[in-house]
Amino acid sequence: PGHGFEKEYVALTNCARDNKPPSEECLKSLREGVVLKDGHIAKATRAEVIDFDGRFARLRIVVTEGKFRMVRRMLRGVGYCCMQLLRVRTCGIGDAV
C-alpha cells in the first residue's frame, strides 16, 4: 500500500556505542521528521522503544508513506543502524508486536 495507510514496523538497532536505548529526543526527531539525503522529510506517526537488553533495542515505528528503505534511512538519520526490520501491520491487517 502506498501513501496514507499505516505501516507498522519493528526495527532492531545496535546500541553498543553507548549501551543506552534511543533517547526520547531521538524518538521525537523520528516523529517530527528526519531529512533524508534525497531531501525528503520522513515522519513516523509513532516511534517508541519496546525492548532493550543493554546492547540492542527494538523500536516500534509507524509510518504512512512507503518510500524506498525509508525506515532504515530514518534510523540512520538519527544515528542508529537498523540491523533487522519487520513489517508487522499494514492498513490494520496483521498482528502488532
Side-chain angles (χ1 to χ4, degrees):
H3 186 75
F5 296 101
E6 282 193 346
K7 291 163 276 297
E8 182 175 336
Y9 296 87
V10 173
L12 178 68
T13 62
N14 187 339
C15 303
R17 66 179 175 184
D18 59 4
N19 295 321
K20 295 179 184 176
S23 66
E24 185 54 42
E25 182 178 322
C26 173
L27 299 173
K28 184 178 177 186
S29 293
L30 290 169
R31 290 187 296 265
E32 291 180 351
V34 177
V35 179
L36 305 178
K37 287 184 180 182
D38 63 4
H40 180 74
I41 298 173
K43 295 181 184 180
T45 57
R46 188 168 160 196
E48 63 186 355
V49 176
I50 56 175
D51 187 35
F52 177 66
D53 70 3
R55 182 172 175 177
F56 299 100
R58 286 193 195 283
L59 306 176
R60 175 178 289 127
I61 299 174
V62 178
V63 296
T64 56
E65 290 185 88
K67 301 282 183 191
F68 180 72
R69 298 176 67 88
M70 186 174 88
V71 173
R72 290 179 187 273
R73 294 188 300 152
M74 289 171 68
L75 287 168
R76 176 62 69 194
V78 294
Y80 287 90
C81 177
C82 181
M83 300 178 66
Q84 182 182 44
L85 185 65
L86 300 171
R87 185 163 58 191
V88 295
R89 181 174 59 88
T90 302
C91 308
I93 300 169
D95 296 324
V97 172

